[in-house]
């Protein structure tokens, strides 16, 4: 048996060039790295060096490792945005406590309490689309996703209050662009001027809105919204989350769930409208269900369409960690402090598991054919798998079904290319469509 090498795997050397390549063409640059360097390589960028793995056995080793092996990657860069108490930036005992407190509101069974809100929000926003005018459908899905977050997570229902929260969150997210996220030198105040100062002012406004909602909750009488359940949650010692922790967890939910769900829906529409037979078959399966969110969620073909969308278009191409102790992967013994990531994009495009991997073929997920977790991981894996996975998938199904059953769209552009957002990737141009009726 060969001894593991202590050298990092080979990879591109230029940090600046690789960063610029990724910003210009995220999917193409990653696929090229996989072709040139194989299943394990070191990616050097301005965000730091990461050892990237895509072989199934390596991915399984990463996500089945003892959770305390890792800490979040680039936590210092994201802390000013999410807050140190964010579940995405915690590790060890603090992370386990946060997940345990936050898990119950996102249990799959609770989706029944939110399905009608998701359907009604989708219907209202899609109905407002003007007929015959070209509109980026991803923008509409962002509005739907944000409306759902405000109503089901924040628990805000009054019209003026919903609008105020929506404006605050929307402006704050828009102010945090890919340049600020990539180049940490821009994360400076500059005496109150510049994009970072503006972002921090907007973020403070959103935090104030959330504190007002927290103050209005009675822990003894929690409502159905997720904020109320977090206020009422207690850990094993009987302690509650303090106000700042709840604020940071709520804003994390916005960042993690707002754009990602909208982007997945936009990719699904882009793919479905290019396959009329598939779209027609999906409509036939959904029509007898009468728009009932619970029944819609059980549609096999809709489930397969969503699964294939998330396979072909992973929203985060690379799930990264920082090693707290040495770790062996692919014949390399990586030292503590090394960045290590599972490349979802390369995992999802492995031809051995997914024949014709670049084709949109939902049929590959029908008949109970879901692959093992280490070969299909749109929501990550292991102890840090996305808490809101069930929520996001349910919303995706309900919104997509509402669109298919009640509205007629056609594409107004060629197939979308992928562009870089602050923390995710998505279709450039937002998938322009035209509503026909």
């Amino acid at each position: 048996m060969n001894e593991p090498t202590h050298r990092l795997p080979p990879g591109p050397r230029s940090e600046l060039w690789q960063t610029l390549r990724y910003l210009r063409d995220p999917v193409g640059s990653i696929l090229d790295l996989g072709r040139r360097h194989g299943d394990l390589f070191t990616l050097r960028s301005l965000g730091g060096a990461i050892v990237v793995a895509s072989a199934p056995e390596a991915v399984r080793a990463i996500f089945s490792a003892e959770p305390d092996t890792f800490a979040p990657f680039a936590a210092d860069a994201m802390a000013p945005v999410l807050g140190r108490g964010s579940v995405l930036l915690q590790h060890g005992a603090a992370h386990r406590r946060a997940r345990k407190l936050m898990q119950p509101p996102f249990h799959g069974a609770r989706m029944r309490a939110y399905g009608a809100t998701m359907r009604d929000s989708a219907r209202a926003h899609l109905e407002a689309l003007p007929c015959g005018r070209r509109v980026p459908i991803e923008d509409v899905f962002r509005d739907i996703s944000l409306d759902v977050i405000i109503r089901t997570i924040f628990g805000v229902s009054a019209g003026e209050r919903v609008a105020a929260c929506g404006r605050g969150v929307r402006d704050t997210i828009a102010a945090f662009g890919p340049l600020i996220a990539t180049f940490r030198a821009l994360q400076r105040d500059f005496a109150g001027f510049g994009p970072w100062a503006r972002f921090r002012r907007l973020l403070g406004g959103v935090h104030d809105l959330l504190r007002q909602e927290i103050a209005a909750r009675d822990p003894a009488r929690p409502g159905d919204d997720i904020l109320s359940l977090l206020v009422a949650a207690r850990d094993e010692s009987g302690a509650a989350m303090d106000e700042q922790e709840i604020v940071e967890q709520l804003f994390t939910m916005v960042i993690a769930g707002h754009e990602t769900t909208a982007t997945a829906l936009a990719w699904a529409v882009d793919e479905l409208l290019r396959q009329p037979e598939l779209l027609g078959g999906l409509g036939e399966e959904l029509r007898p269900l009468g728009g009932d969110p619970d029944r819609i969620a059980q549609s096999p073909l809709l489930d397969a369409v969503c699964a294939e969308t998330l396979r072909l278009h992973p929203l985060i191409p690379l799930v990264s960690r920082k090693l707290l102790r040495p770790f062996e992967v692919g014949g390399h013994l990586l030292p503590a402090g090394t960045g290590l990531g599972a490349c979802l994009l390369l995992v999802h495009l492995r031809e051995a598991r997914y024949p014709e991997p670049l084709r949109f073929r939902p049929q590959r997920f029908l008949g109970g054919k879901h692959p093992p977790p280490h070969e299909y991981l749109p929501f990550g894996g292991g102890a840090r798998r996305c808490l809101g996975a069930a929520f996001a998938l349910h919303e995706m199904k309900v919104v997509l079904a509402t669109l298919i059953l009640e509205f007629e769209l056609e594409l107004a552009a060629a197939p979308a290319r992928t562009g870089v957002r602050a923390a995710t990737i998505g279709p450039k141009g937002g998938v322009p469509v035209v509503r026909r009726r």
Side-chain angles (χ1 to χ4, degrees), residues 263-269 271-272 303-315 348 360 362 365 376 396 400:
T263 300
L265 283 163
W267 280 126
V269 167
E271 296 288 359
L272 283 171
D303 182 73
V305 165
C306 292
E308 178 70 344
T309 300
L310 294 170
R311 179 198 71 83
L312 187 55
H313 303 288
L315 308 173
H348 287 182
F360 185 78
F365 287 97
Y376 178 73
M396 190 177 175
L400 195 57

Side-chain angles (χ1 to χ4, degrees), residues 163-382:
C165 286
R167 282 193 303 271
V169 171
R170 194 179 294 110
D171 291 346
T172 302
I173 292 174
F176 187 70
L179 289 179
I180 290 178
T182 303
F183 298 100
R184 291 189 63 188
L186 296 177
Q187 295 183 10
R188 296 180 182 178
D189 202 314
F190 297 114
F193 296 95
W196 182 248
R198 180 173 183 271
F199 167 73
R200 295 295 297 175
R201 285 194 297 271
L202 291 167
L203 180 62
V206 172
H207 281 193
D208 288 342
L209 288 170
L210 294 177
R211 289 191 183 94
Q212 293 169 23
E213 292 301 324
I214 293 169
R217 297 303 191 278
D218 181 357
R221 301 175 62 185
D224 285 335
D225 60 276
I226 289 173
L227 170 53
S228 292
L229 297 172
L230 291 181
V231 169
R234 298 293 183 270
D235 62 20
E236 293 176 351
S237 69
M241 285 190 279
D242 63 35
E243 179 186 73
Q244 184 60 26
E245 185 179 2
I246 295 176
V247 166
E248 291 172 353
Q249 304 302 13
L250 288 171
F251 191 71
T252 296
M253 293 178 203
V254 173
I255 292 295
H258 166 243
E259 187 171 60
T260 50
T261 304
T263 300
L265 283 163
W267 280 126
V269 167
D270 187 65
E271 296 288 359
L272 283 171
L273 294 184
R274 298 184 195 284
Q275 297 193 36
E277 288 188 12
L278 174 61
L279 179 62
L282 183 55
E284 289 177 9
E285 182 167 299
L286 293 173
R287 226 163 271 123
L289 306 181
D292 182 311
D294 291 340
R295 298 177 68 196
I296 283 170
Q298 305 305 314
S299 162
L301 185 53
L302 180 60
D303 182 73
V305 165
C306 292
E308 178 70 344
T309 300
L310 294 170
R311 179 198 71 83
L312 187 55
H313 303 288
L315 308 173
I316 300 175
L318 181 66
V319 176
S320 306
R321 308 279 189 264
K322 183 176 77 171
L323 288 173
L324 297 177
R325 61 183 69 157
F327 187 80
E328 184 179 346
V329 60
H332 292 261
L333 184 61
L334 308 180
T338 305
L340 175 62
C343 186
L344 277 57
L345 182 66
L346 293 176
V347 170
H348 287 182
L349 296 181
R350 293 182 74 86
E351 193 158 7
R353 167 56 66 180
Y354 303 104
E356 298 180 284
L358 294 175
R359 283 192 58 194
F360 185 78
R361 293 179 55 234
Q363 294 81 359
R364 69 175 96 237
F365 287 97
L366 290 174
K369 296 178 182 176
H370 275 257
H374 58 282
E375 295 187 69
Y376 178 73
L377 51 161
F379 297 103

Side-chain angles (χ1 to χ4, degrees), residues 22-44:
Y22 178 78
L23 290 173
R24 184 176 60 85
D25 181 10
V27 171
S29 65
I30 290 174
L31 292 180
D32 181 61
L33 288 171
R35 283 191 294 266
R36 288 195 289 128
H37 300 289
D39 292 334
L40 193 72
F41 56 87
T42 301
L43 174 61
R44 293 174 175 84

